[in-house]
């Protein structure tokens, strides 16, 4: 008999399964995942605290192995560095989580489930279902309707993902990053992952106004643009290329040109009006991006926090399904308030930094700038790109 069905085998779906199983090893848990091959390989920032707060820890050898693989630290080290974080590829995190879940006895089937009735039809005996099928959750829409979300846009961004050969480092924030952001019209931040098999994933986020965003053609992770695409706004392309030039000169980075992919996205806060509800006498719970999303690399961490809460709730044998729905909805206002407040605070800091770097670039006595050699090298790289190819 299946006790819990999870639709969506991404990081949060796996995390819910792992924690529910650790709370109650007797639970029979089935995950349905659409893709056998991971579709994403971008860089995530996983906070240590996300793996601690509300999560169940059994201090087993398998748990220790998981933390070493993902965080590069033991659970004790993570506890004493709770404010820290690690950058990791999505597919590496999903691989580690799915392996851990499998070792705990969680079953995974690779099958597309696009409506609640399919999941309930496959498991008529099951009373609890989790929708962890992402921001554009079909489960949520079928269960709660098209107006189930409240969304608040914050920023407009071009996201640049590429691979670099060998190990690379981040730019020094108070010097190289700041200097670079003073000479380009678009503020850019960087996220550097861990080297694997001789390559390192890098993500750049270029912030722009709404007008530039709307002038940029549609570009998604699955259908991205290239840096030399003529439809890309010229000023945005120049900002991205200049920043990559800085990384080449100051961080010794050698980007792999064919790996460069550009997409656009709106950084928004959103939350479902409810996190759970009964449907045909079955309990349905939303998890991860299906329930709530916040920007600035908080979405995964929020998903882990709330997923740990959900795992505790669904594992309680003393509660009826209806009371589990009530309990999960009861924590929703606090979770949303905390995450939205944190996201807005970060957005205020981001806007303040953007104002500061714009103003400081125009100050005539500004002394914090490139040394003469770097300035000449940047100019040389820009001139070479303008030269006609033979």
């Amino acid at each position: 008999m299946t006790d819990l069905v999870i639709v969506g085998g991404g990081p949060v779906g796996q995390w819910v399964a792992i924690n529910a199983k650790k709370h109650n090893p007797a639970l029979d848990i089935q995950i349905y995942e659409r893709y056998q091959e991971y579709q994403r390989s971008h860089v995530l920032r996983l906070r240590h605290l996300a793996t601690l707060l509300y999560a169940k820890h059994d201090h087993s050898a398998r748990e220790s192995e998981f933390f070493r693989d993902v965080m590069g630290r033991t659970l004790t080290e993570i506890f004493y560095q709770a404010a820290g974080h690690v950058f990791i590829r999505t597919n590496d995190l999903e691989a580690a989580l799915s392996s851990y879940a499998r070792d705990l006895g969680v079953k995974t089937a690779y099958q597309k489930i696009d409506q609640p009735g399919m999941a309930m039809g496959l498991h008529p005996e099951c009373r609890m279902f989790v929708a962890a099928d992402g921001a554009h959750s079909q489960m949520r829409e079928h269960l709660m309707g098209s107006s189930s979300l409240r969304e608040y846009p914050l920023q407009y961004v071009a996201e640049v993902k590429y691979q670099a050969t060998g190990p690379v480092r981040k730019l020094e924030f108070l010097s190289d990053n700041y200097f670079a952001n003073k000479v380009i019209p678009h503020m850019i931040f960087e996220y550097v992952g861990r080297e694997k098999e001789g390559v390192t994933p890098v993500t750049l986020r270029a912030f722009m106004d709404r007008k530039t965003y709307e002038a940029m053609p549609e570009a998604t992770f699955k259908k991205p643009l290239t840096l030399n695409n003529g439809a890309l706004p010229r000023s945005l392309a120049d900002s991205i290329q200049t920043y990559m030039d800085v990384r080449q000169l100051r961080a010794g980075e050698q980007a792999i040109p064919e790996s460069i992919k550009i997409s656009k996205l709106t950084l928004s806060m959103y939350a479902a009006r409810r996190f759970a509800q009964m449907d045909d006498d079955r309990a349905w719970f939303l998890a991860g991006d299906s329930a709530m999303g916040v920007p600035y690399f908080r979405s995964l961490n929020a998903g882990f926090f709330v997923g740990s809460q959900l795992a505790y709730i669904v594992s309680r044998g003393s509660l009826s399904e209806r009371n589990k729905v009530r309990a999960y909805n009861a924590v929703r206002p606090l979770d949303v308030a905390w995450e939205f407040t944190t996201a807005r605070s970060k957005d205020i800091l981001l806007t303040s930094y953007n104002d500061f770097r714009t103003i400081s670039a125009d100050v005539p006595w500004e002394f914090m700038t490139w040394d003469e050699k770097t300035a000449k090298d940047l100019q040389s790289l820009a001139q070479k790109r303008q030269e006609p190819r033979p």
Side-chain angles (χ1 to χ4, degrees), residues 91 96 165 265 351:
N91 49 355
T165 57
L265 66 152
T351 301

Side-chain angles (χ1 to χ4, degrees), residues 171 175-184 242-243 246 370:
L171 295 178
S175 55
D176 294 337
N177 176 273
Y178 169 60
F179 296 162
N181 272 297
K182 287 202 305 180
V183 298
I184 55 179
T242 299
Y243 196 90
V246 173
W370 300 118

Side-chain angles (χ1 to χ4, degrees), residues 206-247:
F207 291 76
M208 53 185 149
D209 57 30
R210 185 172 180 175
K211 183 178 179 181
T212 305
Y213 178 86
E214 291 175 346
M216 184 177 172
E218 285 303 312
T220 64
F221 173 73
K222 293 183 178 179
K223 295 182 179 179
L225 298 176
T226 59
L227 191 53
N228 58 3
N229 189 303
L232 197 65
R234 186 70 262 163
S235 63
L236 178 61
D238 287 343
S239 291
I240 294 170
Q241 185 61 72
T242 299
Y243 196 90
M244 292 183 69
D245 287 347
V246 173
R247 287 197 51 78

Side-chain angles (χ1 to χ4, degrees), residues 4 6 12-22 29 31 101 106:
L4 179 65
I6 300 175
V12 174
Q14 299 281 356
W15 183 252
V16 171
I18 288 167
N19 279 271
K21 195 72 172 175
K22 288 163 75 174
I29 302 176
I31 294 176
V106 176

Side-chain angles (χ1 to χ4, degrees), residues 287-327:
D289 287 347
S290 299
M292 174 174 59
V294 281
Y296 311 126
F297 282 94
R298 287 202 58 82
S299 194
L300 171 68
N301 298 285
F304 270 39
F305 288 141
V306 180
S308 296
Q309 294 173 340
L310 174 59
Y312 177 79
I313 291 169
V314 298
S315 66
R316 298 300 93 187
S318 57
L319 290 177
S320 68
E321 281 73 34
R322 288 187 182 277
N323 282 335
K324 289 175 183 177
V325 166
R326 293 188 183 104

Side-chain angles (χ1 to χ4, degrees), residues 245-301:
D245 287 347
V246 173
R247 287 197 51 78
Q248 178 183 335
L249 292 173
R250 305 295 292 186
E253 178 177 273
Q254 294 297 319
I256 302 172
E258 59 271 20
S259 72
I260 301 173
K261 298 177 181 179
I262 303 173
S263 57
K264 73 174 189 177
L265 66 152
T266 303
L267 299 183
S268 301
M269 306 181 301
Y270 69 86
R273 297 174 187 272
R274 295 183 304 280
F275 276 7
Q277 73 174 39
M278 298 298 295
D279 185 74
D280 192 22
D281 205 33
R282 322 283 183 89
W284 273 91
F285 307 90
L286 304 182
D289 287 347
S290 299
M292 174 174 59
V294 281
Y296 311 126
F297 282 94
R298 287 202 58 82
S299 194
L300 171 68
N301 298 285

